[in-house]
Amino acid sequence: MDSCRTPANASKCSGTTMECFMVLSTQAQKISISILCGLFGTMCVFENSLVLYLIFSSPGTRKKPSYLFIGSLALADILASIIFVCSFVNFHVFNKAGFSKEVFLLQLGGVNTSFSASLSSLLLTALDRYISISRPSEYKLLMTRKRAWTALGVLWVTCATIACLPLLGWNCCVLDSACSELFPFVDDNYLSGWICLVVVLLGCIISAYAHVLRRARQHVAYMEKHQGQVGKQNTRMRMDVMLAKTLVMVLAVLVLCWLPVLVLMIYSIFARLSDQLRKVFAFCSTLCLLNSMVNPIIYALRSKELFSSLRRLFSHFRRQLKAAEESPEAESTHKSSVIET
């Protein structure tokens, strides 16, 4: 395996063996991580797949830029869950490190691409809501499907490019620089840059939602003042306010789930991490899966269109089950009537 510097607090490990980063020392810790990853990962894939189906199976939702961005968020969460769970469990639970540096960085690039795309999709959704609620008369001209697909294409290409920089050469082995204490082969400067990117994205999202909430309060005050006025514009205001509140809930969950991980990442750049803190980081990483699992639940509970589509889907399944249960009875009744005749 290539030689590069190991974390300062992992000096007891020789060379660049990735065993230095396998911090789960007891069987109970490994079982706990396996249960968390299995539960969160499975639910995340199921729920986000359901969200994608509800969006793209309905002509009314798949044509709206708002739901295209939510679909991108769901897709990113699915990919993040699959890649993260497989690589994380394989590394920390089964302690398999017999692959090359390039394979590890490719897996890490996949995780970073997915989580970065998830966060960036949320930013596009925030900007979409800001345009919709601040300039409703110009929204359809400003936010077209073509522009939405173009923005999503740029988003995914940019996230993949940034995430693959360590694989392309920006790693501590090629540069002979200090490695991160949390990720094998990852250069500290690259980790600092990625953290800055995440902080900037969160700052832009918070700023956009601050404007959205301010306009939402203005719309609520307007609707309370003109309760007797019923019209298309009033209905659109209610939809904007509802979706704005929904996405604020998503943002709150995002910050709560990502904050511990980001704090430990930032701390690792300026100070040495103890083995105990590195174990805490491993467990906090599963909160990212929890965030991806909670988002679809919020959509189903808060989005009237997705909730209506979900109710229709369940009603369709119930009718099919009822028909399947009644079919044998009807067939046996038909046979008995033939015999009696």
Side-chain angles (χ1 to χ4, degrees):
M1 191 171 293
D2 297 350
S3 62
C4 54
R5 300 180 189 177
T6 55
N9 67 335
S11 57
K12 60 182 179 180
C13 301
S14 61
T16 60
T17 55
M18 285 189 284
E19 284 78 6
C20 300
F21 299 87
M22 297 176 181
V23 295
L24 302 183
S25 55
T26 66
Q27 197 68 20
Q29 293 173 354
K30 294 180 180 181
I31 293 176
S32 300
I33 284 287
S34 300
I35 293 175
L36 291 175
C37 288
L39 177 62
F40 293 163
T42 302
M43 292 299 296
C44 179
V45 171
F46 171 75
E47 292 171 0
N48 283 285
S49 298
L50 181 60
V51 169
L52 283 177
Y53 175 80
L54 294 176
I55 290 175
F56 290 99
S57 64
S58 172
T61 54
R62 67 168 175 258
K63 293 181 180 180
K64 295 182 178 181
S66 300
Y67 288 101
L68 291 179
F69 298 146
I70 292 176
S72 174
L73 177 61
L75 176 61
D77 286 338
I78 291 174
L79 295 177
S81 300
I82 295 174
I83 301 173
F84 177 85
V85 169
C86 292
S87 59
F88 194 80
V89 172
N90 191 47
F91 185 82
H92 283 291
V93 177
F94 297 107
N95 299 137
K96 292 184 179 179
F99 39 81
S100 64
K101 175 192 70 178
E102 288 75 17
V103 172
F104 178 84
L105 291 178
L106 180 62
Q107 293 177 349
L108 184 62
V111 174
N112 286 345
T113 298
S114 303
F115 280 129
S116 299
S118 176
L119 187 60
S120 300
S121 297
L122 189 56
L123 174 58
L124 286 182
T125 309
L127 295 176
D128 172 77
R129 287 300 88 204
Y130 172 72
I131 296 174
S132 174
I133 203 168
S134 63
R135 305 174 69 176
S137 60
E138 304 175 32
Y139 174 77
K140 290 186 178 180
L141 295 176
L142 295 174
M143 189 58 67
T144 61
R145 290 189 66 198
K146 183 178 179 180
R147 290 181 178 178
W149 282 112
T150 301
L152 289 175
V154 172
L155 179 156
W156 280 90
V157 171
T158 302
C159 290
T161 302
I162 295 175
C164 289
L165 287 178
L167 181 63
L168 297 175
W170 191 354
N171 59 74
C172 53
C173 296
V174 174
L175 301 177
D176 193 25
S177 56
C179 292
S180 166
E181 295 189 9
L182 296 173
F183 306 100
F185 312 118
V186 174
D187 180 73
D188 261 342
N189 292 327
Y190 171 81
L191 182 60
S192 301
W194 190 83
I195 292 172
C196 289
L197 174 64
V198 172
V199 172
V200 169
L201 288 175
L202 285 174
C204 292
I205 294 173
I206 293 173
S207 177
Y209 276 121
H211 288 85
V212 168
L213 288 178
R214 180 173 59 84
R215 295 305 297 264
R217 285 197 296 267
Q218 293 176 355
H219 285 182
V220 169
Y222 175 85
M223 287 185 290
E224 290 177 351
K225 186 177 180 180
H226 302 81
Q227 290 182 354
Q229 181 181 355
V230 179
K232 186 176 181 181
Q233 184 179 6
N234 209 26
T235 303
R236 179 58 183 268
M237 286 182 180
R238 288 193 178 93
M239 292 175 60
D240 287 340
V241 172
M242 175 65 72
L243 194 50
K245 291 179 179 179
T246 299
L247 296 175
V248 167
M249 292 173 62
V250 174
L251 177 61
V253 173
L254 177 76
V255 172
L256 290 175
C257 290
W258 275 86
L259 187 60
V261 173
L262 289 176
V263 169
L264 288 174
M265 283 184 181
I266 295 173
Y267 182 77
S268 71
I269 295 175
F270 299 100
R272 295 182 180 181
L273 293 179
S274 64
D275 289 341
Q276 191 64 30
L277 280 179
R278 294 165 72 197
K279 291 179 183 179
V280 172
F281 178 79
F283 278 91
C284 288
S285 298
T286 60
L287 291 177
C288 302
L289 286 177
L290 178 63
N291 168 67
S292 299
M293 184 187 75
V294 171
N295 284 345
I297 299 176
I298 299 177
Y299 303 148
L301 293 177
R302 300 286 298 179
S303 172
K304 290 184 178 180
E305 290 176 283
L306 289 184
F307 187 71
S308 298
S309 298
L310 184 62
R311 289 182 61 183
R312 288 194 298 268
L313 181 63
F314 284 157
S315 298
H316 176 69
F317 281 142
R318 281 199 299 266
R319 287 195 299 268
Q320 284 188 331
L321 290 175
K322 186 176 181 180
E325 292 175 356
E326 293 178 351
S327 179
E329 297 178 2
E331 184 177 353
S332 61
T333 303
H334 174 71
K335 288 182 179 180
S336 62
S337 63
V338 171
I339 293 174
E340 291 177 0
T341 303

